[in-house]
Amino acid sequence: YNNAKEIIGFTAVCRNISERKSAEEKLRESQEKYRYIVENAPIGIFQRNLDGQYNYCNITLAKQFECDSIDEFLQNYKEIPKRFVNLDKYTEYKELLVKNRKVLGFETETPLINGKTKWFSLYTEIDNSNSIINGFSLDITERKLAEQALNESEEKYRYIVDNAPIGIFQRSVQGSFNFCNLTLAKQFECNSIEEFFLNYNDISKRWPKPEQYIEFKELLFRNGEVLGFENNLKLNNGKSKWFSLYYKLDSTKSILDGFSLDITERKLAEQALKESEIKYYQAIEFQPVPIGIAIGEKIVHYNKEFTNTYGYTLDDSPNIETWMLKAYPDPIYREEVI
C-alpha cells in the first residue's frame, strides 16, 4: 500500500493441485460407478446393525419385499426377527453368524406385510467392528415353489409306483436290482423290499431253464424291449410262479426298467383246463359207440368208433350241413330225417 492506502503491488504463492483434483475426480467417478452398481444390482444389498436395524439397503431389496421405495421398506421391516416365518430358523441363523462371523446361502421363508410369503437366500458377514452386518439376499421364491411342485409330483408318482398292483423295478443288465416296489417283493412272497433284495438280487438264477433266459436276453438286446415274456421262476421257499415280464433298455443300454404281472393263477387255470380237455378227450375217444361232437354248425370231433363205423373224418365232414349231405344223399329222405 502507498501512503494513500492504495494497492500498488502484491505477493502471491501458488501451488499446483492438479494431481489432487484428478485423484478427487477419479474417486468421485469410482464412487458413482460403484454406487450405480449397488443401487441397480439384481440382488438385495444391505447393511444393518446387530440389533436388526437397517443402516442402508438398495432399491432391489425393497422390491424383493414388494415395497415401492427404500423408505417404505425401512418403515415396514425395521425388525429383522419379523422377517422369519419360523423363529427357530432366526435363532439358528444368529448362532451361525456369531459362531462363524458369516453366513452363506442361509435359506429362510419370510412373511410380507401384504400376507404373502417369500423365500430368500441370505449371505451376511460381520465387519471388523463387530457391530455392523453387511450382506445381500437372493429371492429364491420361484425356485422353492418349483422344488415344492417337484416334490409333490415326486410324492404323487412315488405313491402310484409304491401302491401299483403290478411289480415295478429297475435293475442293471447284469441282473442286480436298483429299485423295486413292494408289490414285486410280495409277488416273490417277501415281506419287505429289503428281504427281496437280499434273496433275489441276481434274478437270472431264478430261471429253471437257462436257455429261456438266453432267449429273453437276445430278444431284449435285439429289440430294445421285451413285452409279455412269460416265464416260470423259482422262489426261495421251493415254490415256482409264473410271470409275464415287460422290460425296456434305457438309452445307455445298461439299465433295465420294467414291470411284472403275476400270472400264476391264469397258468394254473390253463393247465387245469388242458388236463380237463385231455380227460374229456380220452373219455369220448375210447367209447365203444360212435360219437360226434358239434358246436353250433361246426363239428369239432369224431371219435374212432364214429370214423370206423361211418367212415367220416373232420377233413371231409367239417360241419353238420356237409355231414347231412354225405350221410343222407337222397334229398327226400334227408328232409324226412331233418
Side-chain angles (χ1 to χ4, degrees):
Y1 293 91
N2 58 16
N3 291 333
K5 296 185 178 180
E6 295 173 338
I7 297 175
I8 58 175
F10 64 88
T11 300
V13 176
C14 296
R15 189 173 66 176
N16 187 350
I17 59 172
S18 300
E19 289 185 5
R20 193 195 79 193
K21 283 294 184 181
S22 177
E24 289 176 352
E25 179 65 20
K26 289 180 180 179
L27 179 61
R28 185 185 63 79
E29 291 175 354
S30 176
Q31 287 175 337
E32 289 179 357
K33 179 178 70 174
Y34 286 109
R35 177 180 291 276
Y36 179 85
I37 292 172
V38 170
E39 292 293 343
N40 295 278
I43 59 176
I45 300 175
F46 58 88
Q47 184 184 83
R48 65 177 183 83
N49 60 34
L50 292 179
D51 297 325
Q53 300 295 315
Y54 284 93
N55 301 328
Y56 165 82
C57 79
N58 65 353
I59 189 63
T60 301
L61 186 70
K63 288 182 177 179
Q64 286 178 345
F65 283 77
E66 301 187 8
C67 296
D68 295 325
S69 66
I70 293 174
D71 290 338
E72 181 185 351
F73 171 78
L74 294 177
Q75 180 180 357
N76 293 323
Y77 296 96
K78 293 178 181 179
E79 298 182 30
I80 195 69
K82 293 182 179 180
R83 287 185 56 195
F84 289 76
V85 169
N86 187 342
L87 289 180
D88 290 338
K89 293 289 287 184
Y90 178 61
T91 302
E92 178 188 354
Y93 166 76
K94 282 182 64 177
E95 289 175 352
L96 286 171
L97 184 61
V98 172
K99 178 182 178 181
N100 303 318
R101 299 186 58 81
K102 61 183 178 181
V103 174
L104 305 178
F106 189 90
E107 297 183 357
T108 184
E109 190 177 12
T110 299
L112 306 187
I113 60 171
N114 58 13
K116 298 179 183 179
T117 60
K118 298 184 78 172
W119 280 89
F120 295 97
S121 181
L122 303 178
Y123 295 76
T124 55
E125 186 172 10
I126 300 176
D127 74 353
N128 294 330
S129 69
N130 292 323
S131 60
I132 299 297
I133 296 174
N134 297 307
F136 64 88
S137 71
L138 300 176
D139 185 344
I140 58 171
T141 306
E142 288 189 6
R143 193 200 84 198
K144 281 291 186 179
L145 291 176
E147 288 176 356
Q148 182 180 348
L150 180 62
N151 289 336
E152 290 174 355
S153 176
E154 183 179 353
E155 288 176 3
K156 178 180 71 174
Y157 287 110
R158 178 178 291 277
Y159 178 84
I160 293 172
V161 169
D162 287 345
N163 296 277
I166 59 175
I168 300 175
F169 57 87
Q170 184 184 82
R171 70 174 183 84
S172 68
V173 172
Q174 289 72 29
S176 60
F177 284 89
N178 301 328
F179 162 82
C180 82
N181 65 352
L182 185 58
T183 302
L184 186 70
K186 289 183 176 180
Q187 285 178 347
F188 283 78
E189 301 188 7
C190 295
N191 295 319
S192 67
I193 293 172
E194 292 74 18
E195 182 184 349
F196 173 78
F197 282 164
L198 181 65
N199 293 318
Y200 296 97
N201 200 35
D202 189 353
I203 199 69
S204 63
K205 295 179 180 179
R206 300 296 166 179
W207 296 60
K209 298 180 179 179
E211 62 271 17
Q212 279 192 316
Y213 184 63
I214 294 171
E215 177 192 357
F216 168 78
K217 288 186 69 175
E218 288 175 349
L219 285 171
L220 180 62
F221 282 97
R222 182 168 65 246
N223 303 323
E225 62 182 7
V226 173
L227 304 178
F229 191 94
E230 297 185 356
N231 188 45
N232 191 14
L233 299 180
K234 296 181 294 185
L235 274 58
N236 265 8
N237 57 14
K239 297 179 183 179
S240 63
K241 297 183 76 172
W242 280 91
F243 295 94
S244 182
L245 304 176
Y246 294 75
Y247 277 74
K248 189 169 185 178
L249 271 173
D250 77 348
S251 57
T252 67
K253 296 190 180 300
S254 62
I255 299 296
L256 296 171
D257 297 307
F259 63 89
S260 71
L261 300 177
D262 184 344
I263 59 172
T264 306
E265 288 188 4
R266 194 199 81 196
K267 281 291 187 178
L268 292 176
E270 289 176 355
Q271 183 179 348
L273 179 61
K274 188 174 182 180
E275 291 172 355
S276 175
E277 288 176 346
I278 292 172
K279 290 179 181 178
Y280 175 78
Y281 171 80
Q282 290 174 342
I284 297 297
E285 188 64 18
F286 299 106
Q287 288 294 321
V289 294
I291 298 176
I293 301 173
I295 299 177
E297 291 295 316
K298 183 180 180 181
I299 298 173
V300 296
H301 184 68
Y302 296 126
N303 71 351
K304 288 183 179 181
E305 191 62 29
F306 189 97
T307 301
N308 292 336
T309 302
Y310 299 110
Y312 300 123
T313 66
L314 287 178
D315 291 334
D316 54 39
S317 300
N319 54 61
I320 291 178
E321 182 182 1
T322 304
W323 183 81
M324 292 292 289
L325 289 173
K326 288 182 178 294
Y328 304 101
D330 185 342
I332 297 174
Y333 183 67
R334 185 169 57 245
E335 288 296 324
E336 292 179 3
V337 174
I338 296 175

